[in-house]
Each structure stands twice: as C-alpha cells, then as structure tokens.
Amino acid sequence: MGKDQVVNVGQRTSLYRMISRLEDAGLIVAGDTERDERYPERTVYRVTDAGRSATRQWLAEILAAPRNEFPEFPAALSFVLMLPPETAPELLSERRGRLQEQIAALDTDLAIQAGEHRLPRVALLETEYVRAVTHAELQWVTAVTAELADGSFTWNRRELDALASGAHAPNGTGSE
C-alpha cells in the first residue's frame, strides 16, 4: 500500500531480523500460517497489548516533536562547495527532473488510492506528506538552480581557501 515510500525495509533478511526482535520483545506474536497458491507459506503476526502500547507511545513522540532525521541530500549540499559552481546547476537540474517525476508518480498514486481503491484520506497522509516535502524541495532546487544559472549565486576556490584559512570572516570583515 505504498509504505515503501516512508519505510526502508531494505533486504528481506532485515525484515526477518526485525520481526524476530519484535517477537523477542513481546510486541508481536506469531499467529496462523497461511498459504496462497501463488505465494509461499507465510506467518501472520498479531500485535500484543504491549506492542499496541509501545506503538501508541512511539506515535505520540514522533507526531508531536520534530527531530533531525539526517537525510543524505542536505549532507551532500554541505559539500557542494567542493564542486566548481558551473557543475552544480547541471546536477541540480537532473535532480529537479527526478523530483518532477516523483511528484507525478505520487499524484498518480494518490488518485488511484483515493479514487479506485476508495481509501480514506487518513490512509493517505504519508503519501500527501511525501508529496508536499518533495514539492517544497523541487521549489528550492529550482530557485537555487536559477540563481546559479544567472550568476547571482556562485563561489570560487580563492574565497573558500581564504575562508578556510581564517583570512576572511563569514561576515565579510576579515580576521587578523
């Protein structure tokens, strides 16, 4: 149901390790084993009372208080100064195209889930959120790319070396 947009399960072995940890902690218990002729046998797990309580506590903490999740893109931006300024617009333009594709795919997914599958909005909140964040990133990337293209935003190695050596303070006053 699109949870792969917001949950990184990784490999199947990671999923099985997580299930084992949840079971060891008493948060889930194995239930029935089902078999569908098209798929291998699978175990259905049930959430325990302790699991339900832990989930509610986790949800309350996560929903109420923002926290830094350390995504890769801002980390890469912190090192963009290592590239020549003429390289950044090319890379950001490529990202912009991919963001546009992601938004189109999210729009399609939302339309299908709400229309054909008639899912209530509450079941689509994470997709709405991912779309909103992706749209905000697209706007920001578009603005920075335009500034790089028109020359209103740039950098050069000499200024960066001076800054690194302490010869130029960030406020433009210089340092002695």
Side-chain angles (χ1 to χ4, degrees), residues 90-111:
E90 207 175 286
L91 297 171
L92 290 173
S93 289
E94 185 176 333
R95 184 177 190 92
R96 188 175 69 230
R98 291 181 178 175
L99 290 168
Q100 290 168 332
E101 291 170 4
Q102 286 179 355
I103 290 170
L106 289 166
D107 286 344
T108 299
D109 187 44
L110 281 168

Side-chain angles (χ1 to χ4, degrees), residues 15-131:
L15 177 62
Y16 291 131
R17 275 195 298 262
M18 179 58 68
I19 289 171
S20 178
R21 287 175 43 204
L22 291 170
E23 197 170 20
D24 291 347
L27 302 177
I28 61 172
V29 292
D32 298 330
T33 301
E34 297 178 352
R35 181 155 191 94
D36 183 324
E37 57 212 37
R38 296 173 294 170
Y39 301 102
E41 185 174 274
R42 68 180 186 170
T43 302
V44 177
Y45 291 86
R46 287 180 290 130
V47 178
T48 64
D49 289 341
R52 200 169 286 100
S53 175
T55 300
R56 287 183 178 133
Q57 180 181 347
W58 174 80
L59 281 170
E61 290 171 8
I62 300 300
L63 289 173
R67 63 182 185 184
N68 196 346
E69 297 176 10
F70 303 104
E72 290 179 336
F73 182 55
L77 289 171
S78 73
F79 292 104
V80 75
L81 55 84
M82 297 174 70
L83 298 173
E86 55 275 2
T87 303
E90 207 175 286
L91 297 171
L92 290 173
S93 289
E94 185 176 333
R95 184 177 190 92
R96 188 175 69 230
R98 291 181 178 175
L99 290 168
Q100 290 168 332
E101 291 170 4
Q102 286 179 355
I103 290 170
L106 289 166
D107 286 344
T108 299
D109 187 44
L110 281 168
I112 290 170
Q113 297 298 337
E116 292 177 27
H117 298 299
R118 298 183 186 266
L119 290 178
R121 183 171 179 215
V122 69
L124 304 173
L125 287 178
E126 74 275 8
T127 306
E128 282 184 18
Y129 173 80
V130 169
R131 194 223 183 267

Side-chain angles (χ1 to χ4, degrees), residues 156-172:
N156 66 55
R157 178 59 38 210
R158 193 182 82 242
E159 288 175 348
L160 293 173
D161 288 346
L163 180 63
S165 70
H168 181 281
N171 64 6

